[in-house]
Amino acid sequence: MEANGTSGLLLEEPLIFEKSSPGRTGIGPASSDVPEVPPSEAVPGKFLRKDLDGFPDLSEIDTVRHYTRLSQWNFGVDSGFYPLGSCTMKYNPKINEAACRLPGFSNIHPYEPQELTQGALELMHSLETYLSEITGMAAITLQPSAGAHGELCGLLMMAAYFKSKGRPRTKIIIPDTAHGTNPASSHLAGFKVVPVKSEGRGVLSVEAVAAVMDEDTAGLMLTNPNTLGLFERNIKEIAEVVHSRGGFVYCDGANMNALMGLTRLGELGVDVVQLNLHKTFSTPHGGGGPGSGPVGVGKALEPFLPVPRVKKEGDRYGLVFDRPDTIGRMKSFYGNFSIMVRAYAYIRRMGGEGLKRAAIAAILNANYIKERLKGAYHLAFDEPCMHECVFSDRLQLGSGISTMDVAKRLIDYGYHPPTVYFPLVVPGAIMVEPTETESIETLDKFIEVMKRIAEEAKTNPELLKNAPATTKTARVDETRAAREPVLKWEG
Amino acid sequence: MEFPKDLKYTKEHEWVKVEGKIATIGITDYAQDSLGDVVYVELPQEGGSVTKHEPFGVVESVKAVSDLYSPVSGSVAEVNDAIIDSPEAINEDPYGDAWMVKVEISSQSELDDLLTADEYQKFIEEEK
């Protein structure tokens, strides 16, 4: 078998500050036809910086090489398979990039009068409508700038609702299969977290929720499908229990890729959901971002949505600020607009049927990997899964090989490792999410590599212990990096 | 893996040493082994209060972040600040140098449901 990973020429590159040569310049700005004003005359003294210490002096070619070399050290979904569980690292179609770079979108300014930004407002309004249709929620805000920010937004609306009723509630129920950000967001919104355990088959039971749901509890925050990749099949009955005691059901929509077009969360009893456009709707992740975490709510929470709201009157669009119950702004201006354009382009290009087929293919791909790798790796829950599946290192521990070693060895073969050591309910978890955008050839090759690594763990464990061997930097000492971090230049 | 007989244990993998009204608390050998290299620990302030079954601190390893659950209720009499600067002690000596807090116990009856070394060992065998 040909491995994807190989070794090649990568060039060393210092920090950009270390490449500086005093007086060297790149492109000079054109000479100005406006008279120059000394900064001290235009800016109050306390805001003036005397020197720009350490700012590097570089030529254009130095700068281009610097960033090109750094980019060659990188690994992204454009370079290879990236099965990072719970992150939906699907391919980001280039048409999204073309759409958001249309001058009519890329050259507008947030302070432009609304008469001149009708197209942008229409796009936001349409995107809200689409996301509303996909989730079954009454209304959507596009403002939050990432998933956890959306969680905070949803939780703040829940808190505001109970405050407006004159009876604030203090607790949130969170199962052990929820995303790690859920308890953090709940704390930030001022709630106390009540943990509940999933039952034997990896999903939440009605009884477990009923036992802790009381009238001091604002609701339940669950992830569906959960972080084991399993559909919370009791969700409707669980929602009935939560609702009967006056609470809300918050669904973390980070795993929406498994559900779009197949079911609508609103019909399952969900009252609040955040979507991660950078997962489900094919906008870039991480450094390629920014993210975007729109939030959908049912009727009861609609008055509390952040302002401004996009409103359509006749064939004109406008922004509405005057909403007495709003929780206020979650972000300056209107959210990460260029990300909205990308998600809009994706939805329009896929169409309703296409989104549904994407979800089905994502589920099929995950089940294919699950079935073909069980046996080589311990499968935590032998159940039909949704968009991701969770293995563990239980079968390898006997040879002294842990999940971390398997993950590092995958790098040698040219793959980004899956999510490891999460969810916490599975010790040594290896969480694989292939997404729908990978072909069967890619999946087969990955499966073959994973099996080969399982063999190597038995026959030549040192290969795994010393991995990665083909990368520019060998295995880093993560413990030392965390205990003695160097956080600044010339630190 | 060791589980000293003179200590009591919780299902959340803390150990407790009771001497009169003072309970010394830390995490077990099994807990440190499962966590892997500990890189950060957050402990309560001296004089603060802790509640049984409630988080009193946080321990972070290269793999995961976990809450520390208090096995008893009471007020924090002493905090082991030394492990904040050298969290590796939690891996090296979980029952000795890496004790975390000493709590003045508010209700002795809370000690009743803590596990013995044998019970705890049996519990983690079942968990595996």
Side-chain angles (χ1 to χ4, degrees):
Chain A
M1 181 192 61
E2 280 287 307
N4 293 318
T6 179
S7 53
L9 182 64
L10 282 177
L11 298 170
E12 273 302 345
E13 182 64 12
L15 296 178
I16 199 160
F17 307 102
E18 294 163 2
K19 291 182 74 169
S20 177
S21 172
R24 188 168 291 167
T25 57
I27 314 158
S31 54
S32 174
D33 55 1
V34 179
E36 205 170 292
V37 179
S40 56
E41 285 174 23
V43 180
K46 62 175 174 176
F47 298 122
L48 268 184
R49 180 160 49 189
K50 289 186 193 72
D51 296 308
L52 201 52
D53 232 7
F55 196 80
D57 293 359
L58 298 165
S59 66
E60 182 172 339
I61 192 170
D62 288 339
T63 314
V64 167
R65 282 190 184 147
H66 180 75
Y67 289 106
T68 303
R69 287 178 185 181
L70 295 191
S71 77
Q72 288 168 333
W73 300 354
N74 217 339
F75 186 94
V77 81
D78 284 355
S79 29
F81 186 42
Y82 204 134
L84 196 63
S86 261
C87 292
T88 314
M89 303 300 289
K90 65 168 75 178
Y91 174 66
N92 304 160
K94 298 305 169 221
I95 195 170
N96 299 354
E97 301 304 313
C100 75
R101 283 170 176 76
L102 289 171
F105 289 136
S106 60
N107 292 340
I108 51 175
H109 190 279
Y111 281 140
E112 243 173 271
Q114 288 169 27
E115 301 80 67
L116 300 179
T117 57
Q118 286 293 304
L121 293 173
E122 181 180 351
L123 181 136
M124 290 170 72
H125 190 269
S126 302
L127 181 58
E128 285 185 4
T129 311
Y130 301 157
L131 298 179
S132 195
E133 172 65 25
I134 291 166
T135 55
M137 291 289 147
I140 301 276
T141 174
L142 300 172
Q143 221 177 79
S145 50
H149 198 214
E151 292 172 31
L152 179 65
C153 175
L155 290 157
L156 289 174
M157 285 190 271
M158 287 164 62
Y161 171 90
F162 289 110
K163 202 175 163 201
S164 78
K165 299 283 172 209
R167 186 153 176 357
R169 295 192 176 195
T170 53
K171 297 184 285 184
I172 292 278
I173 302 167
I174 300 185
D176 55 6
T177 48
H179 272 142
T181 46
N182 296 173
S185 303
S186 300
H187 274 294
L188 204 56
F191 291 109
K192 191 167 140 347
V193 173
V194 181
V196 282
K197 283 194 186 328
S198 47
E199 45 96 356
R201 290 168 69 199
V203 295
L204 198 54
S205 71
V206 184
E207 295 72 30
V209 175
V212 286
M213 180 66 210
D214 60 23
E215 288 180 2
D216 288 321
T217 303
L220 165 74
M221 190 171 195
L222 85 173
T223 305
N224 197 11
N226 65 28
T227 50
L228 293 167
L230 304 178
F231 184 72
E232 291 288 357
R233 64 180 91 87
N234 305 316
I235 185 165
K236 268 186 148 169
E237 294 76 12
I238 290 171
E240 277 167 28
V241 169
V242 174
H243 292 155
S244 72
R245 293 171 200 176
F248 291 110
V249 175
Y250 184 114
C251 179
D252 184 320
N255 294 340
M256 193 67 198
N257 208 41
L259 301 183
M260 56 178 181
L262 297 176
T263 187
R264 297 181 354 135
L265 293 170
E267 288 160 21
L268 300 177
V270 170
D271 305 290
V272 201
V273 58
Q274 107 281 348
L275 297 165
N276 299 46
L277 298 187
H278 47 282
K279 297 182 180 179
T280 316
F281 298 96
S282 84
T283 74
H285 267 77
S292 179
V295 176
V297 292
K299 279 268 173 255
L301 290 174
E302 194 175 347
F304 302 93
L305 284 166
V307 287
R309 303 278 307 138
V310 183
K311 195 179 164 192
K312 183 179 184 185
E313 268 178 298
D315 58 355
R316 306 299 293 169
Y317 296 87
L319 293 166
V320 179
F321 289 83
D322 182 22
R323 288 169 58 91
D325 287 329
T326 177
I327 57 165
R329 273 186 186 278
M330 287 302 290
K331 190 175 187 322
S332 55
F333 300 118
Y334 320 110
N336 288 328
F337 178 71
S338 81
I339 301 300
M340 298 173 203
V341 182
R342 290 172 170 97
Y344 176 91
Y346 176 73
I347 293 171
R348 288 302 300 267
R349 182 166 174 251
M350 296 291 280
E353 197 50 39
L355 292 177
K356 185 175 169 178
R357 278 173 48 214
I360 291 169
I363 295 168
L364 181 63
N365 284 356
N367 278 284
Y368 183 70
I369 289 182
K370 172 178 74 76
E371 285 304 309
R372 291 211 41 210
L373 279 183
K374 75 178 181 194
Y377 295 88
H378 169 69
L379 182 63
F381 289 89
D382 198 353
E383 296 270 330
C385 66
M386 297 294 281
H387 64 303
E388 60 196 359
C389 53
V390 182
F391 300 98
S392 86
D393 56 8
R394 191 185 283 183
L395 303 180
Q396 282 70 39
L397 284 174
S399 329
I401 290 299
S402 68
T403 288
M404 189 59 81
D405 302 315
V406 174
K408 298 291 186 191
R409 183 63 178 149
L410 268 173
I411 299 173
D412 277 336
Y413 284 104
Y415 295 102
H416 192 287
T419 295
V420 293
Y421 297 107
F422 191 84
L424 298 176
V425 285
V426 177
I430 303 173
M431 187 194 208
V432 180
E433 180 180 5
T435 84
E436 73 281 8
T437 54
E438 300 299 337
S439 67
I440 187 142
E441 289 80 7
T442 302
L443 301 185
D444 281 340
K445 199 162 176 183
F446 173 74
I447 288 162
E448 212 178 313
V449 164
M450 282 291 281
K451 286 182 171 171
R452 184 193 277 200
I453 293 173
E455 273 310 302
E456 288 173 351
K458 290 181 209 156
T459 55
N460 194 356
E462 286 309 301
L463 270 179
L464 279 73
K465 288 269 170 216
N466 297 326
T470 52
T471 46
K472 182 178 168 296
T473 306
R475 192 184 295 206
V476 293
D477 183 345
E478 290 177 28
T479 305
R480 207 178 131 222
R483 283 180 185 161
E484 301 160 35
V486 179
L487 299 174
K488 60 177 186 180
W489 177 49
E490 289 183 343
Chain B
M1 225 171 272
E2 281 181 49
F3 304 101
K5 299 276 187 202
D6 59 331
L7 305 179
K8 297 280 192 182
Y9 299 86
T10 71
K11 289 185 177 178
E12 307 289 353
H13 310 291
E14 284 84 20
W15 57 261
V16 194
K17 185 176 190 180
V18 182
E19 290 163 305
K21 289 178 86 173
I22 297 292
T24 306
I25 300 166
I27 65 169
T28 67
D29 203 6
Y30 175 76
Q32 71 76 20
D33 185 65
S34 314
L35 281 166
D37 291 340
V38 176
V39 295
Y40 176 76
V41 61
E42 195 178 289
L43 297 174
Q45 296 284 328
E46 230 173 77
S49 64
V50 294
T51 311
K52 188 177 170 82
H53 300 314
E54 301 270 326
F56 70 90
V58 172
V59 60
E60 184 175 339
S61 75
V62 285
K63 290 186 208 165
V65 183
S66 299
D67 280 330
L68 297 163
Y69 291 91
S70 186
V72 293
S73 305
S75 62
V76 180
E78 209 178 326
V79 177
N80 187 0
D81 290 324
I83 58 168
I84 292 171
D85 292 327
S86 51
E88 60 273 18
I90 295 169
N91 297 113
E92 289 157 7
D93 191 10
Y95 301 113
D97 286 348
W99 65 274
M100 291 177 168
V101 289
K102 295 189 186 209
V103 172
E104 194 175 327
I105 307 164
S106 55
S107 161
Q108 291 285 332
S109 66
E110 281 188 354
L111 301 171
D112 295 348
D113 64 351
L114 295 172
L115 307 177
T116 64
D118 289 342
E119 286 166 343
Y120 176 67
Q121 214 160 341
K122 203 170 150 225
F123 168 72
I124 55 176
E125 282 308 318
E126 285 164 7
E127 270 230 315
K128 274 182 192 169

